[in-house]
Structures are given as C-alpha cells and as structure tokens.
Amino acid sequence: MTDFLLRLFVKDYRNTKDTKVRTCYGKLSGIVGIICNAVLFLGKLAAGSLSRSVSITADAFNNLSDASSSIISLFGFRLSERPPDKEHPYGHGRYEYISGLVVAALVMAIGVELFKSSFDKILHPSEVNFSITAMAVLAVSVLIKVWMMFFNRKLGNKINSQTLLATSADSRNDVISTCSVLIASAVSHFSGIELDGYAGLAVAIFIIINGYGLIKDTIDPILGHAPDPEYVKNIYNRIMSYPGVIGMHDLIVHDYGPGRQFASVHIEMDADKNPIESHDIIDNIEKDFWESDSLNLIIHYDPIVTTDPEANAFREWLPEHIKEIHPELSAHDIRMVKGLSHTNVIFDCVMPYDLNITEAELKKEISEMIKERFPNYWCVITIDKNYSLPK
C-alpha cells in the first residue's frame, strides 16, 4: 500500500535526495495523517460518549491532536522547501526539525492531559457502559494505527526524517494506548472491577515517557549533535582514497536540515607536489562529494614536508605514543623547525571532551613525554576539539 501511494502521488519517488521529493513525502504523510486521525477522532468520540468512558474519550482527543500534528508536519515540510534567501543563506531545512519538535511537544501535552483526566476518574469513578460498537471502533482504530505506524516509519527511513519517525512512534503509542483501553473495558465488563481510570493513567505515563524521548531525538539536530560515526568513517575513507592525500583532520559537519549538510576538513598533501595539481585533486574531491551526496565540502590544504627523515620518523612515533596518555588523543599538522641548540616540534592535538584535565595540563604531560624520549625537542602544541565522533 505504501509503495502504491508513493507511485501515485510522488513523482520520481525513488530520488529521495531531491528536496522536492522529500517535501512530497512529507505532504503525503501529512495528508494521510489528517484524514485517518480525523475519522478516528469522530468514531472514538461517538464511542466514548455512548459508553461514558473517560479513557475512550481521551483516546479520541489524542487522535485529534495527531491530526493537528499532521497539519504541523505538513507546514514544516512546506516551509523547509523554501529556497535560501538573504536572511537565511543556508536554506530553511531546519523547519522540518522544528515541526518534529512541535509534534513531540504535543505528544507530551496529550500525555499530561490524559494523566490528569485519568487520575480524576480514579478519584471519582463512574460506571462505564460496555458497548460492542465501541469495542469494534477501538479494534478498527488499532488496525488503522498499526498501518500508519509502518507507513510513516517506511517513509521516514526512506528520506531520513526525524519528523516522520516521530509520527510513526506516536502511532505506535496510540496502538498501545487503544489496546489498553480495549482490554480494560473488557476486563471491567466481565469482572465488575472498574479499570477505566487506571488504564488511562498507565497509557498517560507511557505517552509522557515516549514524548520525552521524541523531544530529545528532535532537538539534537537543532542544537548541533555530532555526526554519525559511520558517516564520518565514510567521508574519511573516501578522501583518503584519492591520490596524493596523506592524511585528514579537523572534520566539521554542519546540518541545516535533511539534505542540506555542509562540511569542512583539512587534508595533508606533499609540500613538494605541484600546487596546481594538488588544487586540482582538492577540486575533484569537493565536486565528487557534492554530486554523490549533495554535501557542500570545503577543503583546507595542509602541505607536509615528506623529504625530512627525522620529521617523518617523529610523525610516525607521536600519534602512536600520544595514545598512552588517552586512547582518543590524536595529533596532526606535525612540523619541525630545527635550530642550533634545539628543535621546535609544532603540532595540533585533538583533545576528547571527557578528558578530566585542563588544556595546560595536557600540553605539559605531552611535552614531558616527548622530552623524555627526545631531550632536544621543544613542543609548540595547539589543542583542538573533536567536532566529529571518532572513526
């Protein structure tokens, strides 16, 4: 069914890297969500009124909030489609993240409201009228929500959308809440024990917990979370595969919305190599990443002297032994300036965030380690931060 809808409503639906195709995916999800949730709201509202069940009525308004969430998602995808302008030169892709955050906040709000109404039902219980019609409405609702869960999950995975994955998770929560209401109604009818309020309370707690998780997942890209280690590894392996590239470091990835990534990186190349040739290689790397991944990659060229045996030996020794201080330490841009009485070794050191010493203490420890092995080496160290997860 999902593939049929994609073929029917999304032109060139396999080209998920195209921002227009992404927007069409979001629009399709939004329209389907609005229609399905509106129908479920009306059906459950009628069932809740007939049976005088607070949990069924609360579940109905949960579907109404889902319809509102779908409208918000629809607007989020539509706004993210807007091209870059003078005020927003990187585009409007983060509107999609913001809409996902609003959806997650609505999930939390519904959970809190359901908690309050269910707790009130526990304090002031009232008889629930068992109705076959109401139970049938709930059963059909479960089937529809299961389909919506898989529908949005498939769409979300295809275009890597946290908004659609959050919508899928919300549908899963609805399945669990409706099943709880259905079971509680049946048990109450056959046992005479009133469970309506307790069922609503359990569902509310579950929704609140999952809402918190959704908020965390959607707020991370807005704050600027570290890129996926596999993504970093892929960039590293591809850059290192080009001829003339000796090493790379200082990779920084900026996320301005799905399909709108920018990155910068330093690559080391032989200083004796023709600079025109090195520049041509760099241009090819940037062009290849743009064409294959839509990644706007900016490369800084670091020339490395490879004809000095002493510098080459130290360049091999340092990265290996610096890990004795901490396994995640690394060094790059290693250079030597030789004088009459001593040699200055100049390099950058990437310091992990969880290292419980100051930059000054780290510099001192590295310098002492090098001095012990090379007494005439004086260290000039610049401390960097690791903006991408380790390879």
Side-chain angles (χ1 to χ4, degrees), residues 6 83 91 115 119-120 128 171 231 267 276 338 366 383:
L6 286 173
F115 184 94
F119 190 72
D120 184 67
V128 175
S171 295
Y231 186 66
I267 67 170
I276 300 298
K338 298 178 181 180
I366 295 173
I383 300 296

Side-chain angles (χ1 to χ4, degrees), residues 29 37 62 66 69 73 100 103-104 107-108 145-157 161-178 203 206-215 217-218:
S29 172
N37 284 304
N62 186 25
D66 291 341
S69 299
S73 297
V103 169
V107 171
M108 281 281 286
K145 279 294 183 176
V146 167
W147 176 79
M148 291 179 66
M149 177 184 69
F150 287 111
F151 172 73
N152 284 297
R153 181 185 297 171
K154 188 169 185 177
L155 264 59
N157 286 329
S161 169
Q162 285 298 326
T163 297
L164 297 188
L165 292 176
T167 303
S168 173
D170 188 35
S171 295
R172 177 203 61 201
N173 295 344
D174 291 342
V175 170
I176 295 173
S177 66
T178 303
V203 170
F206 178 81
I207 290 175
I208 291 171
I209 292 173
N210 281 277
Y212 172 78
L214 290 175
I215 287 176
D217 289 340
T218 52

